[in-house]
Amino acid sequence: MQKLLITVLLCFAVILPSTLCDDSQQNISVQDLLTYNKWKLQHQKVYLNEDEQLYRQSVFLENLAKIKSHASDTEATYTVGLNQFSDYTQEEFKQRFLNINLSQRSTPLDVSGDQPRLLGAIATSIDWRTKPNVLNPIKDLGQCNANWAFGAVGVMEPFNSIKNGVLKKFSEQQLIECVHKAGFTSNGCQGGFLEDGINYAIKYGIVQSSSYPYTASTGIVKNCTITSPTSPSDGFYPQSFQKVAQNSLALKTALNLYPVAVQIDATNWSSYTGGIFNNCGSTTLQDLNLYAVAVGYDAQGNWIIRNSWGTTWGEKGYIRLAAGSTCGVLLNSFYITA
Ligand SMILES: *[C@@H]1O[C@H](CO)[C@@H](O)[C@H](O)[C@H]1NC(C)=O
Ligand SMILES: *[C@@H]1O[C@H](CO)[C@@H](O)[C@H](O)[C@H]1NC(C)=O
Ligand SMILES: *[C@@H]1O[C@H](CO)[C@@H](O)[C@H](O)[C@H]1NC(C)=O
Ligand SMILES: *[C@@H]1O[C@H](CO)[C@@H](O)[C@H](O)[C@H]1NC(C)=O
């Protein structure tokens, strides 16, 4: 890292003949630097000062090297590439976008769960994306670490549309600003628990995002000025939700009813661009750090997961996870039941 920084400094602080910055000598290629500049422009990255810019550039180049080495792995079932996260180290990515404060949970995680029941047999595959008026376009939580609120809204929206026949957008910002004020542990952009978001909506209702738009910040603009829908038809009041038992059949069965909130370890997800992701260790409950929404499974049992990192991440905002409890996907999932 030290050496890389110095090299990059040399190549940019003064104008040297490009041969001096040749990769054969310095291990940084002009091609890679051009890739960085193009990426920086495309993602409109603005840095505080030159030091930060050089640091980000060196992180980017390290990530780029990892991406290239993954591309040469012929066994890989998924692809990686550049996206909005490419100038963060894995540790920074965790700090900024994953829910790493789960030790603050006030009550222990419930390890049991229900085996949902269907009248008929479960489908061999299901994909809620193909059903009209169930899912909103992919959202982007930006710089606010509130995947708990996006996960909660992510299951309330499809439940409401399946039950009431109207697809609405609900307000993550209301949960971000109001849930803590209402006495729950979850705390806006600092992180939180999906269960708090749904429990809040059961009690106070959730309004549409048009009346409480997303600002990606904790309460500076509205500071929880709206607490309930003006009329029941304006927002949504869920009545109950249930934890799904920790097995594939239970999650599949629940998915035949509605999209299901899942909690996963997304530590290794930052550069995922497509395919069946399987690069997770043996995840335990304590490792789970991202709420997302399962929207289906294919005939091989791979899970289709909807994320809130915009459409520039993954498969237009989605990821497919290998069958089984990949990244802990079976450990802590919930669906709304009424
Ligand atoms: C530069 O890369 C080559 C192989 O790509 C490697 O053998 C060499 O050790 C690297 N040099 C330095 C100084 O890191
Ligand atoms: C985790 O909690 C600490 C202390 O409460 C806080 O400073 C930090 O911002 C939180 N981390 C995230 C990612 O929200
Ligand atoms: C937001 O609420 C807090 C108290 O919870 C208060 O101290 C602060 O002044 C309020 N900010 C705005 C912008 O209304
Ligand atoms: C991330 O990937 C590495 C291998 O590249 C693996 O060893 C590790 O267990 C994975 N971490 C998590 C949290 O899944």
Side-chain angles (χ1 to χ4, degrees):
M1 171 67 82
Q2 200 81 35
K3 185 172 186 328
L4 191 68
L5 259 177
I6 291 164
T7 310
V8 171
L9 268 168
L10 270 178
C11 293
F12 274 82
V14 287
I15 298 164
L16 292 174
S18 63
T19 48
L20 270 184
C21 302
D22 190 291
D23 61 1
S24 57
Q25 293 164 36
Q26 310 284 348
N27 284 353
I28 295 182
S29 77
V30 172
Q31 193 57 49
D32 288 352
L33 287 173
L34 288 176
T35 303
Y36 171 69
N37 284 327
K38 196 172 148 215
W39 172 88
K40 190 173 153 236
L41 211 67
Q42 188 193 342
H43 290 274
Q44 300 174 328
K45 290 279 174 175
V46 179
Y47 300 122
L48 281 177
N49 52 41
E50 190 150 339
D51 283 352
E52 199 203 348
Q53 131 93 25
L54 287 171
Y55 172 66
R56 289 292 152 213
Q57 178 176 286
S58 70
V59 173
F60 177 93
L61 293 172
E62 279 183 29
N63 286 334
L64 183 61
K66 284 185 203 150
I67 287 167
K68 284 183 180 175
S69 114
H70 181 92
S72 60
D73 176 1
T74 50
E75 311 263 278
T77 56
Y78 67 99
T79 58
V80 294
L82 299 174
N83 58 27
Q84 67 266 39
F85 303 124
S86 302
D87 62 349
Y88 295 124
T89 64
Q90 191 184 58
E91 207 37 53
E92 287 169 334
F93 172 72
K94 269 182 96 161
Q95 289 280 343
R96 287 171 192 240
F97 300 100
L98 302 179
N99 219 355
I100 56 171
N101 281 344
L102 292 189
S103 56
Q104 293 174 3
R105 192 185 284 269
S106 51
T107 52
L109 269 172
D110 177 12
V111 289
S112 64
D114 294 299
Q115 197 78 36
R117 290 184 195 289
L118 290 181
L119 289 178
I122 66 162
T124 43
S125 67
I126 192 162
D127 186 349
W128 284 102
R129 294 176 299 181
T130 64
K131 322 233 175 204
N133 288 322
V134 172
L135 299 170
N136 279 309
I138 286 286
K139 300 183 186 184
D140 187 351
L141 48 73
Q143 294 292 321
C144 169
N145 196 350
N147 60 67
W148 63 275
F150 280 80
V153 167
V155 282
M156 289 194 270
E157 284 175 345
F159 180 87
N160 178 64
S161 63
I162 291 165
K163 190 178 164 209
N164 299 320
V166 188
L167 178 58
K168 291 178 180 172
K169 276 188 181 166
F170 297 132
S171 172
E172 290 85 9
Q173 194 65 30
Q174 181 192 8
L175 300 182
I176 289 168
E177 294 184 19
C178 302
V179 165
H180 192 68
K181 267 194 159 178
F184 294 93
T185 319
S186 298
N187 198 0
C189 298
Q190 309 238 301
F193 306 105
L194 178 136
E195 302 93 299
D196 286 355
I198 300 177
N199 277 320
Y200 173 90
I202 288 174
K203 211 166 164 190
Y204 302 102
I206 186 157
V207 301
Q208 297 192 56
S209 57
S210 52
S211 51
Y212 209 147
Y214 189 54
T215 62
S217 67
T218 307
I220 296 146
V221 180
K222 295 221 173 191
N223 213 3
C224 193
T225 52
I226 306 171
T227 52
S228 290
T230 48
S231 71
S233 65
D234 176 46
F236 175 56
Y237 286 83
Q239 289 162 31
S240 59
F241 66 103
Q242 252 165 15
K243 171 143 173 151
V244 180
Q246 296 168 323
N247 64 75
S248 293
L249 180 62
L251 181 54
K252 283 181 179 175
T253 308
L255 278 168
N256 278 251
L257 297 165
Y258 305 105
V260 178
V262 291
Q263 200 182 7
I264 22 227
D265 182 349
T267 307
N268 280 347
W269 286 18
S270 58
S271 58
Y272 167 83
T273 52
I276 310 290
F277 189 86
N278 57 4
N279 184 23
C280 272
S282 51
T283 310
T284 68
L285 275 172
Q286 282 67 36
D287 299 324
L288 304 176
N289 53 28
L290 179 82
Y291 290 104
V293 178
V295 298
Y297 54 88
D298 66 18
Q300 288 72 45
N302 303 306
W303 308 106
I304 307 163
I305 310 288
R306 173 188 167 91
N307 206 346
S308 308
W309 295 343
T311 52
T312 53
W313 178 84
E315 294 181 328
K316 297 194 168 73
Y318 289 83
I319 184 172
R320 282 178 292 154
L321 294 180
S325 197
T326 306
C327 302
V329 68
L330 297 179
L331 294 180
N332 197 37
S333 53
F334 299 94
Y335 72 119
I336 298 182
T337 45

